[in-house]
Amino acid sequence: MKKCILPVILLALLSGCGKVSDASGMESRINIVSGTVEGTTRDRTTTETEVTTDKLNSKSGTTTTKTAGDKVSGTTTTKSKNSSIQPATRASGGGRTSSGGNHGTTRHVPTAQRTTTTTVQPTTQAPTFDPKDYSSISFAFNESSNEIDVSRNGDPHAFQVLKDLDLSEIRNALANDSSKTINDFIVRQNDFDFDGYPDLFIIERQDDLNKTGKYYRYDPTKGTYTKWEELNTQRFEVMVNSTENSLTFYDKKDTLNYEAKTFEWGDNGLLVLRRVVKQYNDGELIDTIVYAENGYEIVSQETRDSQGNLVGEDTTEQPQED
């Protein structure tokens, strides 16, 4: 009998454990919070939020909140459908994304504007001069070749070099006579084209009768000299007649016989032959031929003796009567 009473008592106790008393619905409002609350309230509260994402664009997430001051630690799990996770300021985690996964820590770094600094190097400007001013021009031999350096204002550096000159005779003359300079072989006071600017004639050869060399025209727009092919075809030194704007080249055969050709400048910048004078027979006879303005047609031709008397027939064209 005693053996039956003990099981009955145990059964009654087990049945009483399943009864739950009503506590006015308090249990339905209890949130499960595990952790420890300790400390006092501080004036300054710092909050740091960390978001850990197992999968991007997933339906659930876990948020851990830590508060300095009233120290609370715990875990709250929330669920939302089709929620999108906005980019966080700092994301830490070792989870994988659908494309293979990002590992480590990703930080948003603001892009700094790049500033490029350009350093302007100072430029060296060539010395300027008035191209119409020829007063300070000087000449010197270029020691390395048959060239002449042209300078201004005593500058040792040439601003122009005159080339294609035969300077062998000039160098020999200077070596044998210390009193001579290069200026003794440069004629620079004559204006050969009557434009108001003196041009150059550089003597390459000279003897007791003739001087031959190279001509250079002064260009007042650039302040430089240009080789003058039109005059160089005549070779000999020219005599300038500024009254009639003509140029005469003498080719002396000896002290008594010579040939002189007189030119004028045409509109095309070419020389036009206007007169030829020949003195021959030891100076006893002089032929004079006058040409028309075109330089080809003969206007008159005559021969005179050394006294100026007409010799032979006068071939001067007579004006025709209407």
Side-chain angles (χ1 to χ4, degrees):
M1 184 67 178
K2 290 180 181 181
K3 294 181 180 180
C4 295
I5 293 173
L6 182 59
V8 172
I9 294 173
L10 294 174
L11 179 63
L13 291 173
L14 292 172
S15 298
C17 292
K19 186 177 180 180
V20 179
S21 60
D22 186 12
S24 301
M26 293 297 292
E27 293 179 357
S28 63
R29 296 195 300 271
I30 294 175
N31 291 326
I32 300 174
V33 177
S34 61
T36 303
V37 178
E38 59 183 8
T40 59
T41 303
R42 298 179 182 178
D43 293 337
R44 184 175 182 181
T45 302
T46 303
T47 302
E48 179 180 355
T49 302
E50 294 183 359
V51 178
T52 303
T53 305
D54 290 335
K55 293 184 179 181
L56 296 176
N57 299 325
S58 65
K59 295 182 179 180
S60 63
T62 300
T63 304
T64 301
T65 303
K66 296 179 181 179
T67 304
D70 294 337
K71 186 175 182 180
V72 178
S73 63
T75 303
T76 302
T77 303
T78 60
K79 295 182 180 180
S80 61
K81 293 184 179 180
N82 298 325
S83 63
S84 59
I85 301 176
Q86 298 297 327
T89 302
R90 184 179 65 182
S92 302
R96 297 181 180 178
T97 63
S98 60
S99 62
N102 292 328
H103 302 276
T105 301
T106 302
R107 295 179 181 272
H108 174 70
V109 180
T111 303
Q113 296 182 353
R114 298 181 63 183
T115 302
T116 302
T117 303
T118 302
T119 303
V120 179
Q121 297 295 335
T123 58
T124 303
Q125 296 182 350
T128 59
F129 56 86
D130 182 2
K132 296 182 180 181
D133 182 12
Y134 50 84
S135 60
S136 64
I137 294 178
S138 59
F139 304 91
F141 282 120
N142 186 319
E143 298 296 337
S144 61
S145 60
N146 284 328
E147 299 174 349
I148 293 180
D149 295 335
V150 185
S151 304
R152 285 180 179 270
N153 299 316
D155 189 347
H157 302 287
F159 73 89
Q160 184 183 7
V161 178
L162 305 181
K163 301 181 178 181
D164 301 326
L165 291 164
D166 184 0
L167 304 179
S168 57
E169 186 169 311
I170 298 178
R171 291 182 183 275
N172 291 333
L174 295 179
N176 296 326
D177 190 348
S178 59
S179 64
K180 292 184 176 297
T181 68
I182 188 174
N183 293 315
D184 293 322
F185 300 89
I186 298 178
V187 180
R188 53 181 299 182
Q189 299 302 323
N190 288 328
D191 180 11
F192 300 133
D193 57 356
F194 311 105
D195 64 348
Y197 298 93
D199 306 300
L200 292 183
F201 175 62
I202 300 178
I203 302 170
E204 295 178 314
R205 296 283 186 273
Q206 65 176 348
D207 52 37
D208 294 336
L209 297 176
N210 299 304
K211 297 177 182 178
T212 59
K214 294 289 192 314
Y215 285 92
Y216 292 86
R217 178 184 178 273
Y218 186 76
D219 185 351
T221 63
K222 299 179 179 179
T224 58
Y225 293 97
T226 304
K227 186 182 294 186
W228 213 336
E229 297 297 345
E230 189 69 10
L231 294 183
N232 288 334
T233 57
Q234 303 301 319
R235 296 176 46 240
F236 300 102
E237 183 180 12
V238 65
M239 303 297 293
V240 178
N241 187 333
S242 56
T243 301
E244 60 180 23
N245 289 345
S246 64
L247 304 175
T248 301
F249 298 89
Y250 283 89
D251 179 10
K252 298 178 181 179
K253 311 301 181 182
D254 51 43
T255 57
L256 297 176
N257 303 307
Y258 66 88
E259 179 181 69
K261 295 181 179 179
T262 300
F263 295 86
E264 293 179 1
W265 288 106
D267 295 335
N268 54 1
L270 300 178
L271 293 176
V272 178
L273 182 62
R274 296 304 306 274
R275 184 170 61 252
V276 174
V277 177
K278 293 182 180 181
Q279 182 170 301
Y280 58 99
N281 196 23
D282 293 336
E284 293 296 327
L285 298 176
I286 302 174
D287 288 340
T288 302
I289 303 173
V290 179
Y291 293 85
E293 293 183 357
N294 58 19
Y296 298 102
E297 297 178 322
I298 297 177
V299 175
S300 64
Q301 183 174 358
E302 64 180 18
T303 302
R304 296 182 179 272
D305 59 22
S306 59
Q307 304 301 318
N309 299 317
L310 187 61
V311 177
E313 182 180 357
D314 184 5
T315 59
T316 301
E317 293 184 359
Q318 301 295 329
Q320 299 180 355
E321 297 181 359
D322 296 335

